[in-house]
Structure formats: C-alpha cells, structure tokens
Amino acid sequence: MEKLKVGDTVQVIAGAERSEKTPATKRGKVLKIDRDAQRVTVEGLRLVKRHLRKTPQQPEGGIVEKPGTIQISDVQVVCAKCDKPTRVGIRADGDKKKRFCKNCDALID
C-alpha cells in the first residue's frame, strides 16, 4: 500500500516552495504522482510558465501557468483531524490495510 495517493492534501516541508511564515499557503491536493521519477504534482504549487503556439485545438497561444513537479520526499500528508503535516503509518484492519496519522493516530482513509 502506498503512503501518498492522488487527492491527498499535502504540505511542502522542504525546498524552494517551503514557507515557514504561512505554512497553510503551501498546501494543495496531489494531482499526479510519478513514482519512477519520485516526483509529485501539487495543485497551485511550483507554477511554471509554458509558451504555447497557436493551434486549431487552441486558437489562443501565449503564456500559460501550470503546476510543476516537486520531489516526493519534500511533501507530507496533512492530517484532517490535527491539521498538521504528519508521517503516515499503515496498519492491517481485518483483511484491509488502512493509513493512519502517526501524530494523533486518526485514520486518513
């Protein structure tokens, strides 16, 4: 079972996107995970500008901002109960595996 899934709310804890003054601004939902490259795309973070040519599918060209990727080790899952970035543990609940917060022991899924 994976500790990070698409749709999780994560906070950046290291790197250029980290902010100590207002940590809530550096949170977002995981849009895409590339496990081979160990990169994750987070909504609204690490915005990069791409220059697009005019095409029949996209009649307006120009500069478009879209989210870039962040190293997977630079983000942590935010627990919904304690509202803090936390490490994730996995425990067996019958025949299913469940993820839980290591700080407050609340289930994440």
Side-chain angles (χ1 to χ4, degrees):
M1 174 173 225
E2 303 296 335
K3 295 186 177 186
L4 187 65
K5 293 182 178 180
V6 173
D8 285 344
T9 302
V10 295
Q11 181 173 329
V12 179
I13 58 166
E17 288 291 317
R18 186 178 122 231
S19 174
E20 295 196 15
K21 295 177 185 171
T22 55
T25 60
K26 298 302 177 180
R27 289 182 179 180
K29 287 192 177 242
V30 175
L31 300 176
K32 182 178 161 188
I33 300 173
D34 185 2
R35 301 222 184 259
D36 295 331
Q38 295 291 306
R39 307 291 286 184
V40 62
T41 303
V42 180
E43 177 181 46
L45 296 179
R46 185 113 170 91
L47 295 176
V48 293
K49 294 186 177 187
R50 294 289 174 235
H51 296 72
L52 296 178
R53 177 181 290 136
K54 291 182 183 179
T55 62
Q57 293 84 14
Q58 190 164 5
E60 291 194 25
I63 302 170
V64 176
E65 278 193 348
K66 61 185 214 177
T69 61
I70 302 172
Q71 177 69 26
I72 202 166
S73 63
D74 291 347
V75 297
Q76 274 189 335
V77 176
V78 176
C79 176
K81 183 179 176 189
C82 61
D83 197 43
K84 294 181 181 176
T86 182
R87 292 178 298 154
V88 176
I90 298 173
R91 80 166 55 114
D93 185 27
D95 59 344
K96 293 187 177 184
K97 293 182 180 178
K98 300 278 186 175
R99 298 184 302 162
F100 69 96
C101 170
K102 291 246 183 156
N103 288 339
C104 66
D105 207 42
L107 288 178
I108 294 175
D109 305 309

